[in-house]
């Protein structure tokens, strides 16, 4: 049996879990512990971290006790079970001129695709419509290390009638956006828009300067991601929503904001379109997928907080097969039932403090003379 065989078996098991109906807590617990125990031996860096913490995976009794890795750890360590050279994708997280990007290697994207297509379909296509797509971003070929544009590629391939990408050669080609919107408007056929909040807002600024707007057909919809998540956003969510309505004729009910990261195979979506489809008022926040659990921790004590209280978000994602399923983010927010409310990001000092255990693990490696795998020095977020 090759090293990859148990991972492929786990992948198949988890795909069945994600594709099925909502499972009860005991089923999630069994799946999470099984995944964690395999990852604890299959991911060498994670195995070393658990030894440093003095944790015996076979003795861990509940998913809450699974030690998470901070997102910053992906900048210093290879946290993948995929053998070197076997990866089919390598996603990079944000990096700057003075910091390395994180790196996520996967030898298979099957589980990731199962998760993303199910969540996207439920929240953006609850009516089963198959629409043409206009992507405010680059193709996967132009951004092969971006999990976001990989996601857009899979959505276009599996859930639409075809796509047009606005970003070409590293820059936006606004005429392509104009043409795609004009086709939709003149033909009377609704369209699906995908992209980053920042790129959409840049396009709306251009339309404002030209005194131009579109009235897209009823049923058109948009997914935007990023933008006003941070505490020092350039614009509010209300401004984003009003801009979609003013310049494209897409109402609040058909604009869905997404939250995700390269270190997770699952995404979280707003409730607007699903609520409109079901004829009810939208729920606050974003839906936590049934195969994900989210804990909210106090930033100083790292103790779990009750529903409604604000703290650090830690996600336990069964769509993470080849990388640790327990991910400690630098995002802050609260949870109410199966809804996630995002409120911003930790400041630099806070983020370092919350990753203190892993920082000490790094220090221990340095004293032991352990070498860490080198990483590229440039990358794109998601």
């Amino acid at each position: 049996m090759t090293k990859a065989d148990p991972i492929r078996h786990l992948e198949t098991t988890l795909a069945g879990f994600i594709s099925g109906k909502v499972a009860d807590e005991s089923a999630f617990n069994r799946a999470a512990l099984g995944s964690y125990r395999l990852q604890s031996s299959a991911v060498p860096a994670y195995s070393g971290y658990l030894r440093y913490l003095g944790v015996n995976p076979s003795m861990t009794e509940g998913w809450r006790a699974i030690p998470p890795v901070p997102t910053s750890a992906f900048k210093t360590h290879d946290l993948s079970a995929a053998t070197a050279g076997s990866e089919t994708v390598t996603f990079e997280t944000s990096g700057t001129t003075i910091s390395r990007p994180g790196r996520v290697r996967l030898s298979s994207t099957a589980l990731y695709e199962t998760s993303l297509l199910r969540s996207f379909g439920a929240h953006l296509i609850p009516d089963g419509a198959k629409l043409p797509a206009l992507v405010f971003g680059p193709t996967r070929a132009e951004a092969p290390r971006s999990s976001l544009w990989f996601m857009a590629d899979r959505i276009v391939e599996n859930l639409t009638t075809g796509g047009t990408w606005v970003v070409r050669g590293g820059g936006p080609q606004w005429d392509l956006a104009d043409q795609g919107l004009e086709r939709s408007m003149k033909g009377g056929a609704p369209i699906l828009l995908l992209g980053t909040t920042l790129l959409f807002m840049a396009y709306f600024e251009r339309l404002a300067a030209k005194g131009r707007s579109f009235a897209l057909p009823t049923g058109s919809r948009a997914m935007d991601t990023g933008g006003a998540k941070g505490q020092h956003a350039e614009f509010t969510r209300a401004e984003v929503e009003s801009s979609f309505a003013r310049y494209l004729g897409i109402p609040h009910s058909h604009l869905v904001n997404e939250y995700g990261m390269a270190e997770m195979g699952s995404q979280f979506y707003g409730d607007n379109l699903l609520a409109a489809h079901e004829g009810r008022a939208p729920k606050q926040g974003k839906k936590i997928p049934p195969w994900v659990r989210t804990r909210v921790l106090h930033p100083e004590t790292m103790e779990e907080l009750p529903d409604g209280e604000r703290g650090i978000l830690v996600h336990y994602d069964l769509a993470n097969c080849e990388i640790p399923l327990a991910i400690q983010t630098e995002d802050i927010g609260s949870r109410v039932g199966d809804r996630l409310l995002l409120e911003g990001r930790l400041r630099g000092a806070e983020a370092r403090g919350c990753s203190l255990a892993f920082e000490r693990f790094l220090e221990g490696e340095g004293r032991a003379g352990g070498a860490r795998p080198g990483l590229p020095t440039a990358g794109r977020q998601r």
Side-chain angles (χ1 to χ4, degrees):
M1 180 177 286
T2 67
K3 181 179 179 181
D5 286 336
I7 292 293
R8 295 287 79 82
H9 177 73
L10 174 64
E11 181 180 62
T12 301
T13 300
L14 295 176
F17 188 99
I18 292 171
S19 300
K21 296 181 179 180
V22 177
D24 60 23
E25 191 66 14
S26 62
F28 177 88
N29 193 58
R30 288 193 300 272
L33 288 175
S35 183
Y36 157 64
R37 286 166 182 156
L38 180 54
Q39 291 168 359
S40 70
S41 60
V43 182
Y46 189 45
S47 180
Y49 183 47
L50 295 175
R51 287 195 300 272
Y52 167 77
L53 295 176
V55 172
N56 182 347
S58 65
M59 301 297 290
T60 303
E61 296 184 353
W63 65 266
R64 280 184 167 82
I66 297 174
V69 296
T71 52
S72 60
F74 287 85
K75 297 184 178 184
T76 57
H77 284 69
D78 182 356
L79 285 162
S80 174
T83 56
S86 70
E87 60 272 7
T88 59
V89 297
T90 299
F91 297 138
E92 289 184 354
T93 64
S94 57
T96 68
T97 55
I98 60 173
S99 70
R100 295 171 172 170
R103 187 174 66 167
V104 176
R105 295 188 307 108
L106 301 177
S107 65
S108 169
T109 60
L111 189 61
Y112 180 37
E113 294 184 46
T114 299
S115 171
L116 76 87
L117 293 174
R118 184 177 177 196
S119 282
F120 185 91
H123 290 90
L124 270 297
I125 319 176
D127 54 355
K130 198 153 189 179
L131 310 175
L134 184 60
V135 182
F136 279 67
T139 63
R140 178 186 175 190
E142 287 203 22
R145 291 181 177 257
S146 167
S147 63
L148 173 60
W149 304 123
F150 175 88
M151 171 183 156
D153 177 272
R154 297 293 79 211
I155 289 167
V156 171
E157 175 69 23
N158 291 278
L159 300 177
T160 77
T161 60
T164 299
W165 281 259
V166 169
V167 174
R168 305 283 180 88
Q173 306 298 312
W174 296 131
D175 288 348
L176 294 174
D178 294 342
Q179 293 163 14
L181 297 171
E182 286 171 356
R183 281 195 301 271
S184 174
M185 193 167 62
K186 291 178 179 178
I191 191 170
L192 169 65
L193 307 180
L194 308 170
T196 64
T197 314
L198 288 169
L199 202 55
F200 278 124
M201 293 300 280
Y203 181 61
F204 298 151
E205 184 177 352
R206 173 181 176 272
L207 292 180
K210 290 179 171 288
R212 190 176 185 187
S213 64
F214 296 88
L216 293 177
T218 300
S220 294
R221 62 207 64 183
M223 183 212 83
D224 73 308
T225 183
K229 186 173 80 169
Q231 294 171 314
H232 303 290
E234 299 173 16
F235 34 76
T236 67
R237 190 64 198 164
E239 290 171 332
V240 175
E241 293 168 353
S242 65
S243 294
F244 271 90
R246 180 184 307 118
Y247 296 109
L248 301 179
I250 293 180
H252 170 65
S253 62
H254 283 58
L255 175 62
V256 179
N257 185 245
E258 181 261 4
Y259 159 68
M261 59 187 69
E263 300 90 348
M264 287 183 65
S266 297
Q267 299 80 40
F268 303 71
Y269 291 90
D271 189 49
N272 297 358
L273 185 52
L274 181 57
H277 176 69
E278 295 178 347
R280 57 173 173 79
K283 298 176 183 178
Q284 190 178 18
K286 293 177 171 59
K287 168 74 172 179
I288 300 173
W291 54 91
V292 176
R293 296 292 182 273
T294 297
R295 300 174 70 208
V296 181
L297 306 184
H298 190 284
E300 295 179 359
T301 66
M302 299 304 285
E303 294 181 354
E304 187 165 1
L305 298 170
D307 272 19
E309 292 198 20
R310 176 177 178 270
I312 302 163
L313 302 178
V314 180
H315 304 298
Y316 297 75
D317 186 3
L318 293 185
N320 281 14
C321 178
E322 294 184 291
I323 60 173
L325 81 148
I327 302 295
Q328 180 180 306
T329 75
E330 294 180 0
D331 299 320
I332 55 176
S334 58
R335 185 199 64 239
V336 178
D338 65 354
R339 310 301 300 180
L340 179 68
L341 285 74
L342 293 164
E343 300 183 31
R345 290 180 65 82
L346 291 169
R347 293 185 294 271
E350 292 175 322
R352 287 193 297 274
C354 293
S355 300
L356 188 58
F358 201 86
E359 292 295 325
R360 288 174 175 165
F361 168 57
L362 292 181
E363 292 173 2
E365 281 194 316
R367 286 194 296 271
R372 299 193 294 274
L375 297 175
T377 56
R380 294 176 61 91
Q381 186 174 10
R382 281 194 72 195

